Amino acid sequence: MHQKRVELLKKDFVQGFPAFCGFTVDRIEHGAFQSRIKVRTEHKQQDGFVHAGVLATLADHTAGYSAYTIVPEDMRILTIEFKINYFKPAVGKEIVCKSKVISSGKKIIVAESEIYDLVDNNERLISKALVTLTAVPMSKIV
């Protein structure tokens, strides 16, 4: 992947709500995207765990960007279906999301996101999402 495209995706990833949440980019490869979040007090729910909505947003957004790595620059990616399983509560100071494209067609792309809680520098799988996305020309969105 060209460095110009990598830089564009890094910048594009951290806008709007994801920027507000504090998402950052770790790694970008063709068909794969990795992100992270440093857990803040406002990310937690009443029991002190990272809120499921934060994890779902991270999983969905990162999956979308794994899809962006395989489409032309004039395409936009939109989620059309999303399923997430939560295995364990997130209790660490950082959360890492590793997403990869597992199936791609002309318009429909399926990606999976694995979410890891970092506890004592060890990754612990806490959640997994399956995200179905569509690639749409930018000219058809606006």
Side-chain angles (χ1 to χ4, degrees):
M1 183 178 319
H2 292 93
Q3 188 61 30
K4 182 180 175 185
R5 177 74 167 159
V6 168
E7 292 305 316
L8 174 74
L9 291 173
K10 278 184 186 178
K11 183 179 176 185
D12 200 52
F13 183 81
V14 291
Q15 294 185 67
F17 186 61
F20 175 79
C21 291
F23 296 177
T24 59
V25 177
D26 276 354
R27 183 176 51 85
I28 302 172
E29 296 176 12
H30 182 78
F33 207 95
Q34 182 174 313
S35 64
R36 96 176 33 232
I37 184 172
K38 290 185 180 182
V39 176
R40 302 186 310 238
T41 302
E42 54 270 18
H43 293 132
K44 297 179 180 182
Q45 44 84 296
Q46 70 280 357
D47 296 316
F49 307 133
V50 176
H51 194 284
V54 173
L55 301 176
T57 301
L58 186 63
D60 175 49
H61 194 60
T62 307
Y65 276 79
S66 72
Y68 271 126
T69 68
I70 68 166
V71 298
E73 290 183 31
D74 66 337
M75 300 297 275
R76 299 309 290 168
I77 298 293
L78 301 171
T79 300
I80 56 176
E81 187 177 41
F82 177 86
K83 185 207 185 304
I84 189 165
N85 287 329
Y86 301 99
F87 309 131
K88 297 174 182 162
V91 297
K93 294 182 181 182
E94 287 187 271
I95 306 296
V96 173
C97 182
K98 299 177 182 182
S99 299
K100 65 181 178 183
V101 171
I102 58 173
S103 178
S104 63
K106 288 184 180 181
K107 291 186 179 185
I108 303 297
I109 300 166
V110 179
E112 68 177 6
S113 292
E114 292 184 336
I115 301 178
Y116 298 86
D117 195 11
L118 293 181
V119 179
D120 298 325
N121 290 325
N122 294 314
E123 290 184 348
R124 182 175 72 121
L125 182 65
I126 59 167
S127 184
K128 193 163 188 172
L130 189 64
V131 185
T132 306
L133 309 125
T134 187
V136 180
M138 179 60 126
S139 62
K140 293 196 175 190
I141 295 177
V142 285

